[in-house]
Amino acid sequence: MQDIEFTEEQVMIRDMARDFARGEIAPHAQAWEKAGWIDDALVAKMGELGLLGMVVPEEWGGTYVDYVAYALAVEEISAGDGATGALMSIHNSVGCGPILNYGSQAQKETWLAELASGQAIGCFCLTEPQAGSEAHNLRTRAELRDGQWVINGAKQFVSNGKRAKLAIVFAVTDPELGKKGISAFLVPTNTPGFVVDRTEHKMGIRASDTCAVTLNQCTVPEANLLGERGKGLAIALSNLEGGRIGIAAQALGIARAAFEAALAYARDRVQFDKAIIEHQSVANLLADMQT
């Protein structure tokens, strides 16, 4: 397998993200993990650097180059802190992405520049207590009443749920049509009836706010329908596919940081009068990690 040769612009973006992660993210990652929250000022700085609009073209206020540059940046941010990499990846892929790909002109004008700059963070409300990968089994309902959509239901494991200013909510609009009866909606999180419930207690990546959300008579204008009525499942699945690029890059960044930490420890830790990296068993383990 031949290594990819990166362009000058891709290298520049990678190095910018690496310097930022090492200088301003990694030193604080442990404190954020304990607090269960990424510092607001850090998120604002990510927006200023263009890291939160990397899938959005410049015409809409973003910094899109290509998905290789995006993946490189997510990897570097995640090497500094997996939770910050999660925020970045989720916001870009399933926060900005659905509006870019399916939004109306008015929806793009209203939201994309704000999302791309990090002034607003997005979240993706698909999963429910009884429906994860089985996305067509949603129970959340949206009814059109007098020119407004009234949404009722519950969502689970919403990443960026506490921080988000905009939620993309998936709900059943036409139950008799099965999976073709699901639609997507843009719901500002300050809408009455949009309630962020408990924050999930997780084993790791705790600084990423993962929440349950309840929608109780949550009402938005008819114009907040994202894409066509009944195309919600297609919108959800298409954006989840793109999201896997960011999550894969996040995993790679975490793994690389783990390897670098293990390598540094093995060089410093002395047992039986020599650094443990000089013991064959440890050296073999590190070689496996690098591979």
Side-chain angles (χ1 to χ4, degrees):
M1 184 175 67
Q2 189 174 6
D3 289 339
I4 297 174
E5 292 187 8
F6 300 127
T7 66
E8 183 177 344
E9 190 168 24
Q10 289 166 350
V11 170
M12 180 184 69
I13 291 169
R14 180 200 65 189
D15 291 350
M16 176 275 292
R18 178 177 295 173
D19 291 344
F20 179 66
R22 290 179 174 176
E24 301 193 43
I25 296 177
H28 309 288
Q30 189 173 15
W32 296 339
E33 191 76 358
K34 289 180 180 178
W37 188 253
I38 301 164
D39 186 67
D40 293 342
L42 186 281
V43 177
K45 185 67 178 291
M46 291 175 69
E48 293 170 7
L49 292 173
L51 294 168
L52 299 177
M54 293 195 72
V55 304
V56 178
E58 188 175 350
E59 66 179 295
W60 295 109
T63 54
Y64 178 76
V65 175
D66 54 46
Y67 267 85
V68 173
Y70 168 59
L72 289 170
V74 173
E75 178 188 342
E76 295 301 333
I77 297 301
S78 301
D81 176 38
T84 306
L87 183 155
M88 175 184 171
S89 173
I90 292 161
H91 170 76
N92 271 285
S93 61
V94 294
C96 298
I99 301 173
L100 176 66
N101 295 322
Y102 297 97
S104 66
Q105 183 77 8
Q107 289 169 345
K108 290 177 182 179
E109 290 174 354
T110 299
W111 288 107
L112 275 183
E114 195 171 356
L115 289 165
S117 67
Q119 295 176 52
I121 297 297
C123 66
F124 192 77
C125 298
L126 175 65
T127 300
E128 298 182 0
Q130 81 294 332
S133 300
E134 192 183 17
H136 63 275
N137 192 28
L138 301 184
R139 294 177 183 169
T140 298
R141 296 289 187 265
E143 296 181 22
L144 188 58
R145 304 177 191 169
D146 300 322
Q148 294 186 309
W149 289 103
V150 182
I151 308 172
N152 288 281
K155 297 295 181 177
Q156 192 83 14
F157 306 131
V158 179
S159 298
N160 299 341
K162 187 176 179 180
R163 186 186 297 274
K165 187 174 179 180
L166 178 69
I168 297 174
V169 177
F170 295 86
V172 176
T173 50
D174 302 279
E176 69 281 2
L177 297 180
K179 64 183 181 181
K180 293 184 179 181
I182 298 170
S183 301
F185 301 90
L186 300 181
V187 181
T189 59
N190 63 355
T191 304
F194 186 96
V195 180
V196 178
D197 295 325
R198 69 186 183 281
T199 301
E200 299 291 345
H201 179 72
K202 298 174 293 184
M203 294 179 67
I205 314 187
R206 293 190 182 97
S208 171
D209 49 312
T210 305
C211 307
V213 169
T214 299
L215 299 114
N216 183 12
Q217 298 292 107
C218 185
T219 303
V220 296
E222 186 173 2
N224 283 35
L225 176 71
L226 178 64
E228 297 178 28
R229 180 170 178 164
K231 297 296 184 181
L233 186 59
I235 293 172
L237 295 180
S238 66
N239 282 280
L240 287 174
E241 287 177 359
R244 291 187 178 101
I245 296 171
I247 296 303
Q250 178 204 17
L252 181 59
I254 294 170
R256 197 192 78 211
F259 168 73
E260 291 171 353
L263 181 61
Y265 179 79
R267 286 172 173 163
D268 291 342
R269 174 67 169 165
V270 175
Q271 287 285 280
F272 302 105
D273 300 322
K274 59 182 178 181
I276 63 174
I277 196 171
E278 296 178 28
H279 295 284
Q280 185 176 4
S281 59
V282 174
N284 288 342
L285 288 170
L286 289 168
D288 287 342
M289 287 180 70
Q290 186 177 38
T291 301

